[in-house]
Amino acid sequence: MGDDATQSAGFGCAACCAEDAEVARAHHRSHTGVRVETMIRDDSHFIVSVQRCALCSQAFVSVFTEYVDWAASQDAQYRTVLPITDAEADDLAAGRLGPHRVGALGHGRRHLQSDWPSEADEPSVSWDSGVFEVREGY
């Protein structure tokens, strides 16, 4: 993860930004862990929302993309969860920051990545860092 990981210091708590990606993912998925604050985009294959940790109030942008697998019916699913500032959360909610531009916020920050390609039995979960591409699914 290099320098991007160390620059992420100051975001979140030991639950929502746990060093172990699986622990962080479990907190984000729990009903009492991280909650949707504002839905930015809610399409069947592309969902972007601002979420907040119930323990420390850290804001996150969550980007979910799904690609339909017409042959095997095992749709590929990808989720990126990036800690953001309150000002960035406000900009997203107000439409001043578009959902396709949130990947640029990853510069100097780590993000929780869950990748579940069509051929996999379960998702891989890890911390990644840096800018990431935001694409709509189909």
Side-chain angles (χ1 to χ4, degrees):
M1 283 186 291
D3 291 335
D4 284 340
T6 57
Q7 292 175 17
S8 291
F11 283 109
C13 65
C16 65
C17 290
E19 278 304 312
D20 183 323
E22 291 286 353
V23 170
R25 180 176 181 255
H27 181 70
H28 281 263
R29 292 175 51 103
S30 74
H31 294 291
T32 57
V34 176
R35 299 184 184 116
V36 173
E37 181 175 86
T38 307
M39 188 60 66
I40 305 301
R41 184 88 176 266
D42 190 7
D43 297 335
S44 58
H45 304 290
F46 184 60
I47 302 168
V48 179
S49 62
V50 173
Q51 303 179 351
R52 221 169 262 278
C53 178
L55 298 177
C56 70
S57 298
Q58 173 62 56
F60 294 89
V61 60
S62 172
V63 179
F64 171 81
T65 305
E66 179 179 48
Y67 298 98
V68 175
D69 179 351
W70 297 106
S73 297
Q74 291 223 202
D75 299 347
Q77 299 178 4
Y78 303 92
R79 181 179 311 272
T80 303
V81 180
L82 175 74
I84 58 175
T85 67
D86 288 342
E88 292 164 343
D90 291 345
D91 285 347
L92 271 164
R96 293 184 297 268
L97 176 61
H100 292 93
R101 296 186 54 219
V102 300
L105 299 176
H107 179 74
R109 301 181 199 176
R110 69 180 191 161
H111 52 271
L112 189 61
Q113 188 66 44
S114 175
D115 296 339
W116 198 342
S118 297
E119 64 279 356
D121 292 330
E122 59 186 48
S124 66
V125 179
S126 63
W127 284 108
D128 203 348
S129 61
V131 174
F132 57 93
E133 184 178 9
V134 176
R135 293 177 28 167
E136 292 189 39
Y138 51 81

